Amino acid sequence: MIDWSAIVGGQREAWVLGATAALGFAYGVLAQGSRFCFLRAVQAVFARTQSGPLRLFAAAMATALVGSQWLAGAADVNLGQSLYAQSRLSLVALLLGGLLFGYGMALANACGARCLVLLGSGNLRSLVTLLCLAVGAAATLSGVFAPLRIRLTEATQTELPAATLPTLFAWLMPLSVPVTATAWRWACVVLLLTALLGWALTRRPLPNSTAATTLSAPASPTRALLPGVLIGLLVPLGWWITGRLGADDFEPLPLGSLTFVAPVAQSLQYLQLSTGIAASTGSVLCAGVLVGAMVSALVRREFHWQGFTSAAQTGRSIVGGTLMGVGGVLALGCTIGQGLTGFSTLALSTYPALAGIVAGAWLAWRTSARERQ
């Protein structure tokens, strides 16, 4: 195995920040060009109009899962040290946080990651959403909402018998023949991969799909899913950057990859206090996404200044961004942080958080549909 500490020498932090910025840049380019958006994906399925955007997200989930689990074995990156793999969890906080995030995402019409991409394309509405998300997240992490978060978490925490899906299956199904942890891990990977690819490769039109959406879909399913696969590959790359390139026995970096709640808050903090604090991986990740999306939008001639058209739209962005900041902290992540990065670790915390996000988005979608009728 390559000793990266010997290669980077005393410039470990600079290498990590540079690699993280490049990671964000790649995400910005890919997400802008492919219109990669979890909200768009689930709303299209709610309306039963098209399944393409969700199939794209499923391809990203499958790739992130396989790549991260391969990396865990091949490069000795311990995903159990990540934020997501906890056996002591507050299911109430995860579900509530997911609901708040999902509802806020629908109100603002974009999640945090998508807002960064849209801002890079000239959408100034996203700037307001991101500022409110940052304030909401910071207030919940260490500000005025932090005591409430801590009390809620402590009052509802439960000690689970396992922190990840493989260890849960091993606990539920003790077998007479010993089964290694690696075997359980890859069994779970195969199970989830089969379900995701089964959905991603399905070409059946939904009941309310139109001829336009059907005809506009690429003829080759694999070609349509390629951006999702490339975005999924960025997740294990992020694990490698923090887990191998940034490895240090004396000053280890927190193990992490793509996520966009705390990093947005860190970015705002850095803009205010850069003379007194160092840049974090979260802040350079967000900067990389912003620049990558802007470059992609300019190259594709899709950069256009956009603003608010009404006071109501402004209010939705403010409330939606704040809810995403608060909810994202409670849920331990966002649609990317839990939907891709957390999911790739096989952590149990991912499933209630994702369920809450989808439920919150559906609730907002139903409310909006009734108002339009």
Side-chain angles (χ1 to χ4, degrees), residues 3 26-27 49 79 97 105 108 201 207 238 243 255 305 316 322 348 350 358:
D3 184 5
Y27 180 86
T49 55
L79 299 179
M105 172 180 67
L201 298 176
L255 186 65
W305 292 114
R316 287 193 296 270
T322 305
L348 295 179
T350 293
V358 173

Side-chain angles (χ1 to χ4, degrees), residues 14-111:
W15 278 78
V16 169
L17 292 179
T20 303
L23 182 76
F25 183 90
Y27 180 86
V29 171
L30 291 168
Q32 196 281 330
S34 64
R35 311 294 195 273
F36 188 77
C37 177
F38 182 80
L39 176 63
R40 172 172 167 253
V42 295
Q43 285 183 335
V45 173
F46 294 158
R48 308 182 77 183
T49 55
Q50 59 176 324
S51 60
L54 191 57
R55 289 190 287 112
L56 186 68
F57 199 89
M61 292 177 73
T63 308
L65 174 64
V66 174
S68 298
Q69 293 303 318
W70 174 84
L71 183 76
D76 194 28
V77 174
N78 184 7
L79 299 179
Q81 294 179 349
S82 70
L83 169 71
Y84 312 100
Q86 303 179 31
S87 59
R88 188 168 179 78
L89 295 171
S90 169
L91 297 179
V92 173
L94 289 169
L95 282 167
L96 177 61
L99 279 168
L100 292 175
F101 186 94
Y103 198 91
M105 172 180 67
L107 280 181
N109 205 31
C111 67

Side-chain angles (χ1 to χ4, degrees), residues 245-314:
L245 187 63
D248 189 295
D249 292 336
F250 299 101
E251 296 182 14
L253 288 173
L255 186 65
S257 187
L258 294 178
T259 188
F260 296 98
V261 176
V264 173
Q266 292 166 4
S267 299
L268 180 60
Q269 184 183 43
Y270 182 73
L271 288 173
Q272 297 171 301
L273 305 172
S274 61
T275 57
I277 61 174
S280 65
T281 54
S283 59
V284 298
L285 174 69
C286 292
V289 173
L290 186 62
V291 174
M294 182 178 295
V295 169
S296 177
L298 290 171
V299 170
R300 296 166 63 91
R301 298 184 178 180
E302 295 176 353
F303 185 95
H304 304 288
W305 292 114
Q306 302 174 58
F308 292 105
T309 58
S310 67
Q313 191 180 41
T314 308

Side-chain angles (χ1 to χ4, degrees), residues 116-334:
L116 283 169
V117 173
L118 291 174
L119 180 57
S121 303
N123 189 319
L124 297 178
R125 298 189 299 270
S126 296
L127 176 60
V128 174
T129 302
L130 286 168
L131 288 173
C132 293
L133 189 157
V135 172
T140 310
L141 281 168
S142 56
V144 294
F145 296 153
L148 292 175
R149 171 182 62 82
I150 294 171
R151 289 175 187 172
L152 173 65
T153 302
E154 290 179 347
T156 58
Q157 271 185 338
T158 303
E159 185 67 43
L160 301 178
T164 63
L165 204 58
T167 51
L168 178 63
F169 281 168
W171 179 78
L172 289 173
M173 297 183 289
L175 302 177
S176 56
V177 179
V179 178
T180 64
T182 301
W184 277 116
R185 182 160 57 91
W186 283 105
C188 291
V189 170
V190 170
L191 180 66
L192 292 171
L193 188 63
T194 301
L196 288 170
L197 291 182
W199 167 258
L201 298 176
T202 298
R203 299 283 291 175
R204 297 175 182 174
L206 294 177
N208 295 336
S209 60
T210 62
T213 57
T214 304
L215 292 175
S216 64
S220 170
T222 54
R223 181 181 176 184
L225 299 178
L226 180 60
V229 171
L230 294 176
I231 288 173
L233 286 174
L234 298 180
V235 174
L237 182 56
W239 292 127
W240 178 82
I241 291 171
T242 55
R244 295 303 305 169
L245 187 63
D248 189 295
D249 292 336
F250 299 101
E251 296 182 14
L253 288 173
L255 186 65
S257 187
L258 294 178
T259 188
F260 296 98
V261 176
V264 173
Q266 292 166 4
S267 299
L268 180 60
Q269 184 183 43
Y270 182 73
L271 288 173
Q272 297 171 301
L273 305 172
S274 61
T275 57
I277 61 174
S280 65
T281 54
S283 59
V284 298
L285 174 69
C286 292
V289 173
L290 186 62
V291 174
M294 182 178 295
V295 169
S296 177
L298 290 171
V299 170
R300 296 166 63 91
R301 298 184 178 180
E302 295 176 353
F303 185 95
H304 304 288
W305 292 114
Q306 302 174 58
F308 292 105
T309 58
S310 67
Q313 191 180 41
T314 308
R316 287 193 296 270
S317 291
I318 292 173
V319 175
T322 305
L323 288 178
M324 282 195 287
V326 175
V329 172
L330 291 175
L332 302 181
C334 56

